[in-house]
Amino acid sequence: MNVFLKVWDQSKQSLYNWLWYETTTYSPYIEETSYENSLLVKRSGALALSSLTHVLRSLTPNARGIFRLLAEYQMSNKDNPSYTGYRHTIRFTNDHDQRYDLAVIVGLSFQDFYQQCREAFLVNSDLTLRAQLTEFRDHKLIRTKKGPDGVEYLLIPLDFGTITDFLDMEDKEG
């Protein structure tokens, strides 16, 4: 990554003789990031729970209800193969004969979630829900992706233990 290009201006860069090396590993991304233990990257534990509660406390009750609805749905479907996508397990072996199994979490379709939010009187239009989902996405509370069928899917990118802790904490406060 050319981070130094952003640190120094052109005149200071020209004072150095930079040596460039191509260091592409061609290893799967999971292997390149497997050694990271950054608090900013971790999506589980007390830090993730603290971040989640801090952001949600600043939102409206309806916004908290929307997130809670998605969290409850994700937890109630954690063992459902059509939701979690364990039927889409990807297996590959790297150069060192290490094997990785990646379960792809499919998520909840936007239309199904919109219907659930309407039934719970949390939104009155899909635009309202999309605006709220944008807020969640900006804070990295949810992830959205298009499936092979062109449908937009939503999921909370936290481990099930953290989501359970969040729901328990919400129940105690509510």
Side-chain angles (χ1 to χ4, degrees), residues 17-119:
N17 280 332
W18 295 105
L19 185 60
W20 296 91
Y21 285 102
E22 175 63 34
T23 58
T24 305
T25 64
Y26 299 107
S27 295
Y29 186 69
I30 188 104
E31 184 174 332
E32 291 183 11
T33 60
S34 65
Y35 304 106
E36 290 184 2
N37 198 17
S38 169
L39 293 176
L40 297 174
V41 176
K42 283 179 111 176
R43 299 302 293 168
S44 64
L47 181 66
L49 182 60
S50 173
S51 299
L52 175 63
T53 54
H54 179 73
V55 170
L56 287 178
R57 283 188 180 138
S58 68
L59 299 176
T60 65
N62 277 5
R64 288 192 300 273
I66 291 168
F67 187 83
R68 182 180 178 84
L69 193 63
L70 183 59
E72 288 172 346
Y73 186 85
Q74 189 161 320
M75 291 305 298
S76 67
N77 286 282
K78 68 180 177 183
D79 296 324
N80 179 354
S82 65
Y83 178 77
T84 58
Y86 289 114
R87 68 181 195 278
H88 300 297
T89 299
I90 301 166
R91 292 180 182 218
F92 59 89
T93 306
N94 66 8
D95 296 339
H96 307 290
D97 291 330
Q98 292 173 318
R99 195 171 200 174
Y100 295 97
D101 292 331
L102 299 176
V104 179
I105 297 178
V106 175
L108 175 62
S109 75
F110 174 80
Q111 281 301 359
D112 290 345
F113 188 53
Y114 170 64
Q115 199 59 38
Q116 290 180 15
C117 289
R118 277 196 56 106
E119 289 169 4

Side-chain angles (χ1 to χ4, degrees), residues 137-157:
R137 202 176 301 113
D138 290 347
H139 290 286
K140 296 182 176 31
L141 297 179
I142 66 163
R143 193 168 43 212
T144 59
K145 60 183 171 181
K146 292 238 185 223
D149 51 359
V151 175
E152 183 178 13
Y153 291 95
L154 313 166
L155 69 104
I156 300 171

